[in-house]
């Protein structure tokens, strides 16, 4: 660090650094001086510098990277799910469910019931009873506490806020669900990557993250986004065994695909875990605009969540709660949800098979998307596909750091017609072939 820092107290040192960050003298990613070196330069105790850096971290201005030191925070926005604005290209990177498969709520809305006033319970009793039975599978407590939040991201944000402080470490799957990554970074927490393979979160990755001092772990037990991986029985048991040695780490299980999943739930929440929460959003099968998720958790976590969801301010609309209950308990709606699950699986299977016949083997997991490994640079394939009329999302956005990124496309193909799917598969194969090196004969491989 080339700038000269002044100050004798922690607050003076922090104020000086803050001013330099705000004026642009220190840029995002710049490393601050090592604690011992700055303390010697200023002639103060090293604990004074530690306290100064802590003040900056609490303000979200710097991030501690362990052995990587303390660096100025980068507030670049995280990519988000959804349609790209202002494009004329065929967008196959949205991560959206098919709107034609989302049940019509009109009839159920007409039965939403009486008005709810200030001071009434924040969770609708009917939804609470249904949700407790729905959520309790394989949990340490067969009668978990139920909380309702405004979607899964809201649940994760509130769960982390009630348990962590700024700059605390959170274990995230790598590659990672964009919304979880955004929530962790915006909260000022330190994201610690845990690799994901075909069986989900890796055991060695989790061990390393726990050794790094993570205070919370966010795990997707099935239909991992973006890879589609789901935990196997063996992997889930291994992860529970590792977590059993850390009973007070908050374990958050984001079962986002729930009713649409074609694989059974294998939980990472074991009987030894003291702090845990399972989240199930309704956005994939009832639509993102429902903005509702159910959280099952231990008593202490539920009590802390309750402090942030009060009957006078921030409860989730009872109209939404009753509408959700009416829909998920309607036999015809459940048939539509089952049909949607079949549709997503069949369309993904068919597209993966089409890629395989073109020399691009693609594993099929669970979920709305396909995670396509490429034998060429994903960014260049994406650019080529744009020229061919397609807007795709390459894998770089989903990795926590450039060092862990690989060459992948994440595709949402379930809305394509058969002809469109064939055209996209052809264009991906052609884009990859154009980037492969020519063999000795000088001919490009097809």
């Amino acid at each position: 660090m080339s700038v000269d820092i002044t100050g004798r107290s922690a607050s003076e040192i922090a104020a000086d650094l803050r001013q330099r960050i705000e004026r642009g003298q220190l840029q995002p990613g710049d490393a601050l001086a090592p604690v011992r070196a700055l303390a010697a330069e200023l002639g103060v105790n090293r604990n004074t510098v530690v306290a100064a850096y802590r003040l900056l971290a609490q303000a979200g201005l710097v991030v501690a990277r362990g052995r990587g030191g303390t660096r100025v925070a980068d507030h670049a926005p995280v990519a988000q799910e959804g349609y790209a604005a202002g494009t004329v290209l065929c967008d196959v990177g949205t991560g959206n469910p098919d709107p034609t498969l989302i049940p019509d709520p009109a009839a159920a809305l007409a039965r939403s019931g009486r008005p709810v006033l200030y001071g009434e319970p924040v969770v609708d009793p009917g939804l609470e009873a249904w949700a407790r039975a729905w959520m309790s599978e394989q949990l340490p407590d067969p009668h978990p506490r139920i909380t309702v939040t405004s979607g899964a991201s809201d649940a994760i944000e509130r769960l982390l806020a009630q348990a962590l402080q700024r700059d605390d470490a959170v274990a995230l799957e790598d590659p990672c669900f964009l919304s979880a990554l955004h929530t962790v970074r915006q909260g000022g927490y330190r994201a610690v990557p845990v690799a994901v393979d075909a069986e989900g979160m890796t055991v060695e990755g989790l061990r390393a993250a726990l050794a790094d001092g993570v205070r919370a772990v966010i795990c997707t037990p099935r239909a991992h986004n973006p890879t589609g991986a789901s935990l196997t029985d063996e992997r889930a048991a291994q992860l529970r065994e590792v977590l059993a040695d850390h009973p007070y780490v908050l374990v958050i299980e984001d079962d986002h695909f729930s009713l649409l999943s074609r694989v059974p739930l294998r939980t990472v929440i074991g009987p030894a875990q003291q702090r845990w929460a399972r989240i199930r959003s309704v956005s994939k099968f009832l639509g993102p605009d429902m903005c509702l998720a159910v959280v099952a958790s231990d008593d202490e976590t539920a009590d802390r969540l309750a402090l942030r969801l009060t009957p006078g301010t921030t409860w989730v609309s009872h109209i939404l709660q009753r509408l959700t209950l009416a829909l998920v308990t309607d036999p015809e709606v459940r048939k539509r949800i089952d049909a949607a699950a079949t549709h997503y699986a069949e369309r993904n299977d068919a597209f993966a098979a089409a890629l395989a016949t073109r020399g691009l083997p693609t594993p099929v997991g669970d979920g709305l998307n396909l995670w396509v490994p490429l034998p060429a640079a994903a960014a260049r394939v994406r650019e080529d596909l744009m020229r061919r009329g397609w807007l795709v999302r390459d894998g770089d956005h989903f990795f926590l750091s450039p060092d862990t990124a690989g060459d992948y496309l994440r595709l949402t193909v379930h809305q394509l017609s058969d002809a469109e799917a064939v055209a996209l598969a052809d264009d991906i194969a052609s884009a990859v072939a154009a980037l492969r090196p020519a063999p000795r004969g000088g001919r490009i491989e097809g």
Side-chain angles (χ1 to χ4, degrees):
M1 187 170 60
S2 60
V3 293
D4 295 322
I5 306 303
T6 62
R8 301 291 299 171
S9 68
S11 59
E12 289 172 348
I13 296 169
D16 186 279
L17 283 165
R18 180 172 192 150
Q19 185 178 68
R20 294 171 190 275
I21 292 170
E22 291 173 343
R23 291 180 177 180
Q25 293 172 282
L26 290 171
Q27 295 292 318
D30 283 352
L32 302 189
V35 168
R36 193 179 301 277
L38 184 56
E41 180 182 333
L42 297 176
V44 299
N45 188 289
R46 65 183 302 275
N47 289 335
T48 302
V49 178
V50 170
Y53 285 6
R54 184 179 298 117
L55 289 173
L56 293 169
Q58 289 170 346
L61 296 172
V62 302
V63 177
R65 300 293 187 190
R67 294 187 181 91
T70 300
R71 296 183 177 272
V72 178
D74 184 357
H75 294 291
V78 174
Q80 297 295 299
E81 296 282 16
Y83 292 107
T87 183
V88 297
L89 304 176
C90 182
D91 191 347
V92 288
T94 70
N96 269 319
D98 186 335
T100 66
L101 301 178
I102 294 173
D104 184 352
L109 186 58
R111 307 190 301 271
S112 59
R114 65 173 181 80
V116 173
L117 304 177
Y118 293 116
E120 297 196 38
V122 297
V123 180
D124 177 76
L127 179 63
E128 182 176 15
W130 178 85
R132 183 172 288 110
W134 181 44
M135 300 287 287
S136 61
E137 179 185 4
Q138 303 175 38
L139 287 178
D141 184 350
H143 303 287
R145 293 275 295 279
I146 298 298
T147 308
V148 177
T149 64
S150 297
S153 295
D154 181 49
I156 291 172
E157 180 180 10
R158 292 176 186 274
L159 285 163
L160 295 179
Q162 57 84 30
L164 275 62
Q165 297 179 352
R166 271 190 177 272
D167 210 40
D168 277 347
V170 180
L172 290 179
E173 294 152 323
D174 193 25
C176 184
F177 180 40
L178 293 175
S179 180
L181 179 57
H182 174 77
T183 300
V184 167
R185 288 182 176 172
Q186 288 299 109
Y189 311 116
R190 178 165 60 94
V192 176
V194 178
V196 172
D197 64 17
E199 298 182 60
M201 178 178 277
T202 60
V203 177
E204 289 308 312
L206 178 59
R207 282 203 185 100
L210 291 166
D212 197 18
V214 298
R215 302 290 301 274
V217 175
I218 303 176
C219 178
T220 312
R222 51 185 171 178
H224 172 257
N225 189 350
T227 70
S230 297
L231 294 174
T232 60
D233 287 328
E234 181 180 9
R235 178 64 58 82
Q238 292 170 337
L239 295 174
R240 289 195 299 271
E241 184 177 356
V242 172
L243 288 167
D245 293 331
H246 303 269
Y248 291 98
V249 167
L250 174 62
V251 177
I252 301 173
E253 195 169 72
D254 183 7
D255 190 26
H256 70 103
F257 211 49
S258 60
L259 293 182
L260 292 169
S261 182
R262 56 179 177 173
V263 299
L265 174 68
R266 285 109 174 186
T267 187
V268 298
I269 302 171
Q273 217 62 47
Q274 299 297 309
R275 303 294 308 282
W276 51 267
R278 174 179 293 160
I279 305 167
R280 283 178 174 164
S281 166
V282 303
S283 64
K284 298 298 188 298
F285 50 87
L286 296 185
D289 199 41
M290 286 293 287
C291 293
L292 185 143
V294 177
V295 182
S297 65
D298 64 273
D299 287 343
E300 182 178 352
T301 299
D303 286 341
R304 293 191 179 193
L305 277 178
L307 296 175
R308 299 175 61 84
L309 289 163
T310 65
T313 53
T314 55
W315 77 90
V316 175
S317 164
H318 280 253
I319 294 175
L320 280 180
Q321 294 188 51
R322 291 171 180 170
L323 179 58
T324 296
L325 178 63
L327 290 169
V328 296
T329 55
D330 184 325
E332 291 304 313
V333 170
R334 293 299 290 266
K335 288 180 183 177
R336 286 182 60 85
I337 293 172
D338 290 342
T342 300
H343 172 78
Y344 296 136
E346 289 179 348
R347 298 306 292 174
N348 283 345
D349 287 343
F351 194 80
L355 289 177
T357 64
R358 291 160 175 79
L360 296 171
T362 299
V364 183
D366 197 21
L368 293 178
N369 309 294
L370 279 176
W371 186 241
V372 182
L374 298 175
R380 294 183 64 189
V381 171
R382 174 176 54 79
E383 291 170 1
D384 189 303
L385 289 170
M386 290 178 70
R387 291 190 287 269
R388 299 169 187 266
W390 303 100
L391 185 62
V392 304
R393 195 185 284 268
D394 63 58
D396 287 355
H397 291 147
F398 299 90
F399 287 95
L400 271 64
S401 72
D403 295 337
T404 58
D407 289 310
Y408 296 90
L409 297 180
R410 198 209 65 177
L411 302 177
T412 310
V413 298
H414 54 73
Q415 284 184 257
L416 297 178
S417 68
D418 290 343
E420 289 170 332
V422 168
L424 177 58
D426 284 341
D427 285 344
I428 293 173
S430 296
V432 169
L435 294 172
R436 283 175 171 164
R440 290 185 180 180
R443 181 181 173 189
I444 300 294
E445 292 182 3

